[in-house]
Structure formats: C-alpha cells, structure tokens
Amino acid sequence: MQDVTVVRTSVLPPYAAHLRVYEPLAAYPEPERAHWQAYAAEHGPDAPEAGRSVAAAALAEQRTALAELVGRTPRALPERESERAFVRLVDGVLYICPWATRLRNWQALDELRAGAPVALVDTALPPATRAEAEADRERWRAEHPDARPWILTSRWEVPVRWFLPFGDEDRCFVPAGTGEKGEEGVRGDRVSLFYLTPMAQARRRVARAYRALREAVPEGELVRGAEQVGRWLEEFHPRSLVELDYGGLVHLLGPERLLADHSAGELEDGLRAMRAGDKAEAVRAYEGLLVRWRRVLALRHAN
C-alpha cells in the first residue's frame, strides 16, 4: 500500500481524526473500477506495511485543500469531484477509499453554518457563494441519490462512538522515527496511531454494543451513537476495511499520551462489564473516556 504523491509542506495536518471505509476494488462498478485500478497501479500499492503511506496521502489531500483556499475568488467547494483516494493492499486484495472531496465539503459547510457565528460564516464564505454551493448540491444529489461519504471527520476529538467498531487488537501505534525511507514528504519523526479492522468484525462489535446499550440505557448518547455508526457501516461492501485514524490529533496529544491511549480497549472493557451486569464498572469506563476526550476538545478554546 503506497501513495507516493509528493507532498512538500511543513504545515502540520489539522487537529482532526478520521473514520474511513476502504471498499475492495471489486465493489466498484465500471467505469469507476477501471479508474481506481489505474490509479492504484500508477501510485504503486506494493508497500507491505499499512498506515504510513496513508499519512502521505492525507498530507496531499490537505495541501490540495490549502491550494483551493488561496484562490482570488472564494469557493465553497472544488469545481469537480476529486479523482484521488486512499489505497491499501491487504493480503493481496486492493482496497480503495475515495476522497469524495465535494461531498465532504458540502457536509463541512453544513457544520460551519451550524456551529460558527453568522458574521464569521459570511466573512469566510459570502451568502452568494453559499447559495451557489447549495444549488450545486441539489443538482448533484439528483444525479447521485445513493451517494455517501467514505470518510467521516471529527475536529479536536475522537467521538467515543467511533471506537465501537474496534478492539484493542486492532490498534497500531507507529512511533516517531519509523517513517518509510524515501517516501518524500513524510517525516520520520512523526508519530501515528490508527485502528484497522474488517467490516464484518466492525459490524458485529457495533451490533453487540447496540443491543447491550439499548437494554441498559435506551435513551443514552452512546446507544444513539452506536445506531448512527451502524447505519453508516451498512452502506458499504461487507468485505470492506474500517479504519480510525487519529490524524492530526497526534500532534495535539503527543507521543507519551498516544502510547498510553487504549480508548477502544477501555470502551470494550466497559461494554463487557455492562453485559456481565457490572454497571458501576461500565459507567466508570465510559465516563473516563468522556472526561479524557472532553479535555482534548476543550483545547479548542485554549488560544
């Protein structure tokens, strides 16, 4: 697995985590399949280790977004959909996670409008620009009624519900100084943390968690989160891969906190305690995770 797109930037990725689905190449209809096959061939998906080349592709995606921002005329989204993707090769099977930049930009625009002051939104993206983007989205929806994003993004935190598809055995911590040699633009002193699991396992975990949570706390935030994640995973091919990437949050947390972070395993332990009837232990595990990630989220205002 390797995307060797050259990335020349000293800018660190934004403080954002990503939940991604990689579908097998066979899941894509023609002519998409042919495009992604050619794309993967051009970018050489032959690296034996997962995760490090994804960091290079993530930086390339960020660099492309930054280039869009320096245009003389502000645009709410790219003029056309990206033809690039994250690529993985696992056990001889090629997996593709399209960037789907236009679709994700529409979603980010909704988030910006819902969470930022009107004056700030109007300054960043004038009303006329947003109206044009909305019109583009309606036209695009009519042509792509079944479209869904392969990538979900969360800024300044990893939502606790995102750990539900994973176990501690899916965790991969890549210490600093172990970046791939010769992969231009990926510095060896960067640390990374991600989880990777087969779709079947992810769905089983989420379904078990949902059943346990619905019985114990039917109106709880986490049971609603389990339903949300489960519905999203059902949109994809059953032989896909699911990845949780801490992304730019690694620079916020630092290597020592990352090394000690076993959030998925802690949530799994809490759910196991809940199924065993140990409500106190389940609450302790869940509240511990909430407090930890709320402290990270609070750094958003620590300027």
Side-chain angles (χ1 to χ4, degrees), residues 230-252:
R231 288 183 183 276
W232 182 65
L233 293 178
E234 288 294 333
E235 296 286 336
F236 301 97
H237 193 280
R239 294 186 180 178
S240 301
L241 300 176
V242 186
E243 176 188 62
L244 170 55
D245 182 3
Y246 275 44
L249 287 181
V250 298
H251 306 292
L252 185 66

Side-chain angles (χ1 to χ4, degrees), residues 3-7 9 11-14 16-18 20 22 39 51-66 84-87 97 99 104 151 183 185-186 190 243 245-248 251:
D3 183 336
V4 294
T5 303
V6 175
V7 182
T9 178
V11 179
L12 293 177
H18 309 281
R20 303 187 184 108
Y22 295 77
Y39 178 90
R52 297 173 190 168
S53 59
V54 171
L59 284 173
E61 183 184 27
Q62 182 201 8
R63 189 167 182 263
T64 300
L66 289 173
R84 303 173 72 178
F86 296 103
V87 178
C97 175
W99 286 5
R104 290 164 59 207
I151 306 171
E183 188 177 345
V186 178
R190 285 180 178 162
E243 176 188 62
D245 182 3
Y246 275 44
H251 306 292

